[in-house]
Amino acid sequence: MKIGEALIAEGLIKPEQLEKALEQQHKSNERLGDIVVKMGFVRSWQMTPFAARFFQLPFLNIKDVYRQIPPEVIALVPEELARRFTVFPVSLAGDALTLAMSDPSDIVAEDAVHLKTGLKIRRVVAFEGDIMGAIEECYVKGGRLQEHVENFVGQDAPQWQVETVDSLHLEASDPPVVKYVHDLVVQAFNNDASDIHIQPKQERVELRLRIDSILSDCPAPPKSMLPAIVTRVKILSGLDIAERRLPQDGRFKMLVGNQEIDVRVSSFPTIYGESIVMRLLNTSSPLAGLEKLGFEPDDLEKYRRSIRRPYGIILVTGPTGSGKTTTLYTTLNEIHSSERNIVTLEDPVEYRLEFLQQTQVNPAIDFDFARGLRSILRQDPDIIMVGEIRDKETAEIAIHAALTGHLVFATLHTNDAAGAPVRLINMGVEPFLLSSSLVGVLAQRLVRCICLACRQEQVVPVTLRERLGLGQEKIVFYQGKGCPKCMNRGYKGRVAIFEMLAITDDVRNLINTRASSDEIARKGVAQGMRTLSERGIDKMRQGITTIDDVLRVTREFEEV
């Protein structure tokens, strides 16, 4: 079967799309697989596993294994060769080298590695971005950051020299500093970190990465290098390097392999110098479906029923960093169509999606959520997403939009789903308007997943089981022991737990009478709502997370 026929057989493209791709191939002489991706018929993340199946080769998630590959195996393939052909050595068995390739049909790449190593080549297929990420980290060999520090420290500079804007700019342009900042972002991204914290202390610098919600210490640069690092980050993100007394916010983009990373930067003055926090967002990663976020089947059915309503307001609640924005983007990705105009108002815009009309608020020019929302209503929207409801004015405009035929999504900071309507009423929203417009409330948290490579059974004291309401229920609990795959943390990845409050007539009556969040929660539970802690326990039953992590993100069992 030809590759075009196979793409049709798997339902990835339609016959008419194949005809267009073949016409383009006749003109450009490119590979058909590259053409269907460029033309947007197939996503790149779909094409790579398809290529593995088509060539009858194993597909490898290289992100799960590259940290365990011996250095002597990596050294078999020079860095220049690995980068040129986007290949990565995986293992050596006798005279056969297993080689991860993004394009298994690239005979030139296979022959080049064979000639260089003198070994037989066994091909496996991996995502191009993952291969480039492995190259960036593994060929660094863990010593490149320290090497940049030593090169910087080794420069002869008069101890009496006073720092000026010009001297800082000069230091920030030095190759060791430029390379340090670049490799720091690459290392953080390859370790799946969401944030980089560079914080000055009295006589040292503290460097930490936030991985799976938890901050982890890393070897830090010397205090003498901090001003140059801060200046380099400011230059990249377009900030004023002369201003050290006021907080500043900016952003810059960086390519790691073929993946575009959006880095949001915040500088903050402290008594010991400027603190820098960089948030990493992979803007090129595809959105997963709602079913991949962690919904239990009954909650997913309730939520999908809510988002298919023609109008009304749906609230997603939770603290900062609980995945609310990802849930909303994934929701809009599921319900969008060419027949609907979807407009968002965000602070900031985290992911740029072509099917949305996205707007970012700018308080500096008095363009806040309320003003932006009023303007959006004149853009003839069908669906509106409001990044956050922070005040009475924004809440009232959002509810007015929901009552006048628009489907509105918004986030709110509350501890649980039942607290959302109470919070809006406390802002000054009239209960009868809220009860008439509210469709559903989704509360969520992120729990860490146990590393499957080192998962082992955990003994849980009977007293703790009883306090969690499990009694004598037979459940096998697990925890991660710690291994190279998870960097000895025992956890790898995160999944969401959800609490879905459907707005029934009984709940509307409670809202109209200004009932407390406890009363609304009790009514929700009586109608079948499962709380965040109960959903966390469900994830524990499935062997996905631990008791400790459920207790960390939920408040119901704080006294345990």
Side-chain angles (χ1 to χ4, degrees):
M1 185 182 292
K2 294 181 179 180
I3 190 169
E5 296 170 344
L7 285 166
I8 293 174
E10 290 208 15
L12 293 175
I13 64 173
K14 299 175 182 178
E16 57 269 23
Q17 292 175 325
L18 176 59
E19 289 181 13
K20 292 179 182 178
L22 290 172
E23 289 176 9
Q24 180 62 32
Q25 186 184 41
H26 182 71
K27 298 175 185 176
S28 63
N29 202 31
E30 294 178 273
R31 291 189 180 95
L32 186 64
D34 294 335
I35 292 172
V36 296
V37 171
K38 285 182 179 179
M39 296 182 77
F41 299 152
V42 181
R43 301 283 184 88
S44 57
W45 58 270
Q46 295 173 307
M47 194 65 198
T48 303
F50 164 79
R53 295 190 297 271
F54 181 78
F55 289 99
Q56 298 182 341
L57 295 171
F59 175 78
L60 175 68
N61 188 349
I62 200 169
K63 291 182 74 173
D64 288 342
V65 301
Y66 72 83
R67 292 191 183 94
Q68 304 168 56
I69 300 172
E72 57 270 21
V73 173
I74 296 172
L76 292 170
V77 180
E79 181 178 355
E80 183 275 332
L81 199 65
R83 289 185 184 277
R84 192 197 321 166
F85 294 110
T86 317
V87 297
F88 195 83
V90 175
S91 62
L92 180 65
D95 63 347
L97 175 68
T98 299
L99 188 71
M101 308 176 66
S102 62
D103 181 4
S105 67
D106 192 345
I107 299 173
V108 176
E110 184 179 350
D111 288 345
V113 177
H114 169 68
L115 290 172
K116 184 64 180 179
T117 63
L119 299 168
K120 297 177 182 177
I121 304 300
R122 291 177 177 168
R123 295 171 295 163
V124 296
V125 184
F127 288 118
E128 180 181 357
D130 290 350
I131 291 176
M132 291 305 297
I135 290 171
E136 293 285 356
E137 183 167 338
C138 289
Y139 283 101
V140 168
K141 299 176 182 175
R144 188 178 289 179
L145 291 177
Q146 183 59 33
E147 179 185 329
H148 301 329
V149 169
E150 291 170 358
N151 289 340
F152 177 84
V153 173
Q155 296 176 4
D156 294 326
Q159 296 297 316
W160 47 264
Q161 182 175 320
V162 178
E163 289 179 350
T164 64
V165 172
D166 289 339
S167 67
L168 281 174
H169 201 291
L170 188 62
E171 279 192 344
S173 302
D174 282 342
V177 177
V178 172
K179 292 175 182 176
Y180 183 92
V181 173
H182 174 272
D183 290 347
L184 176 60
V185 174
V186 169
Q187 179 177 307
F189 174 73
N190 287 334
N191 286 323
D192 297 321
S194 61
D195 300 87
I196 303 170
H197 290 243
I198 307 173
Q199 298 170 322
K201 303 300 178 182
Q202 185 170 3
E203 296 179 352
R204 62 184 178 88
V205 175
E206 190 172 73
L207 174 62
R208 294 183 291 174
L209 303 182
R210 188 176 294 280
I211 302 173
D212 294 338
S213 304
I214 304 298
L215 284 171
S216 303
D217 289 318
C218 298
K223 187 74 178 284
S224 61
M225 195 174 179
L226 179 64
I229 292 172
V230 170
T231 303
R232 175 60 185 169
V233 173
K234 283 185 170 183
I235 290 171
L236 286 172
S237 48
L239 303 182
D240 183 357
I241 65 173
E243 180 56 74
R244 307 181 201 176
R245 301 165 301 171
L246 295 174
Q248 296 186 71
D249 295 307
R251 67 196 308 161
F252 64 90
K253 293 184 182 296
M254 215 176 96
L255 278 176
V256 178
N258 69 338
Q259 300 185 74
E260 186 179 70
I261 310 303
D262 191 6
V263 185
R264 284 173 21 204
V265 175
S266 171
S267 71
F268 189 80
T270 75
I271 59 173
Y272 298 124
E274 285 184 279
S275 171
I276 292 287
V277 174
M278 292 181 276
R279 169 151 291 186
L280 312 183
L281 299 168
N282 185 359
T283 58
S284 59
S285 62
L287 287 172
L290 287 172
E291 62 278 354
K292 300 291 185 182
L293 297 182
F295 279 99
E296 296 299 327
D298 54 335
D299 279 343
L300 181 57
E301 182 183 351
K302 291 177 185 176
Y303 184 62
R304 278 187 164 142
R305 196 181 306 136
S306 298
I307 66 177
R308 288 172 183 150
R309 296 279 292 270
Y311 58 87
I313 184 167
I314 298 169
L315 299 173
V316 180
T317 78
T320 301
S322 59
K324 301 187 297 296
T325 303
T326 298
T327 298
L328 286 177
Y329 280 142
T330 306
T331 301
L332 296 178
N333 187 46
E334 176 161 314
I335 64 176
H336 88 276
S337 73
S338 60
E339 299 173 351
R340 292 169 131 182
N341 181 26
I342 306 177
V343 187
T344 74
L345 189 62
E346 307 171 57
D347 182 22
V349 174
E350 294 191 5
Y351 295 91
R352 288 167 169 78
L353 302 175
E354 291 185 359
F355 61 85
L356 302 178
Q357 301 296 319
Q358 295 175 276
T359 307
Q360 183 165 312
V361 300
N362 188 350
I365 57 174
D366 198 29
F367 182 56
D368 55 13
F369 279 109
R371 184 173 181 180
L373 195 48
R374 280 194 297 269
S375 299
I376 282 177
L377 292 174
R378 295 191 287 272
Q379 288 288 308
D380 187 31
D382 297 290
I383 301 173
I384 302 169
M385 186 187 101
V386 184
E388 184 182 346
I389 293 179
R390 299 174 179 172
D391 52 48
K392 176 184 177 182
E393 186 178 9
T394 305
E396 288 180 338
I397 298 170
I399 289 172
H400 172 75
L403 289 171
T404 53
H406 304 88
L407 183 60
V408 180
F409 293 91
T411 71
L412 201 63
H413 288 286
T414 62
N415 291 331
D416 54 19
V422 175
R423 174 73 184 277
L424 290 177
I425 291 172
N426 289 339
M427 282 185 183
V429 174
E430 289 294 336
F432 73 92
L433 292 176
L434 180 60
S435 64
S436 302
S437 60
L438 191 59
V439 172
V441 184
L442 184 73
Q444 67 179 83
R445 299 289 190 279
L446 292 176
V447 295
R448 293 178 291 171
C449 300
I450 302 169
C451 175
L452 296 179
C454 60
R455 189 177 72 167
Q456 60 183 18
E457 289 190 19
Q458 177 186 16
V459 177
V460 178
V462 175
T463 54
L464 179 56
R465 293 169 63 102
E466 290 176 349
R467 295 182 78 172
L468 292 175
L470 301 175
Q472 300 302 313
E473 184 178 347
K474 294 182 179 180
I475 304 175
V476 179
F477 294 94
Y478 294 94
Q479 63 183 358
K481 181 180 179 182
C483 67
K485 185 174 178 180
C486 62
M487 299 177 65
N488 294 313
R489 297 193 308 270
Y491 296 95
K492 188 170 178 62
R494 292 182 295 176
V495 69
I497 54 175
F498 297 97
E499 177 180 283
M500 181 65 199
L501 174 65
I503 308 301
T504 62
D505 289 340
D506 288 340
V507 174
R508 288 191 182 90
N509 290 334
L510 289 175
I511 293 173
N512 283 329
T513 58
R514 298 177 181 267
S516 68
S517 60
D518 288 340
E519 292 176 281
I520 295 174
R522 283 195 292 271
K523 178 57 68 175
V525 170
Q527 295 177 161
M529 181 184 79
R530 301 290 298 278
T531 66
L532 286 167
S533 55
E534 288 175 321
R535 287 310 188 196
I537 292 172
D538 288 340
K539 290 288 187 286
M540 285 157 33
R541 286 192 180 98
Q542 297 162 24
I544 293 173
T545 192
T546 63
I547 286 181
D548 290 341
D549 220 55
V550 171
L551 296 177
R552 180 180 65 86
V553 301
T554 62
R555 297 192 170 197
E556 189 163 335
F557 299 117
E558 274 190 345
E559 72 277 5
V560 175

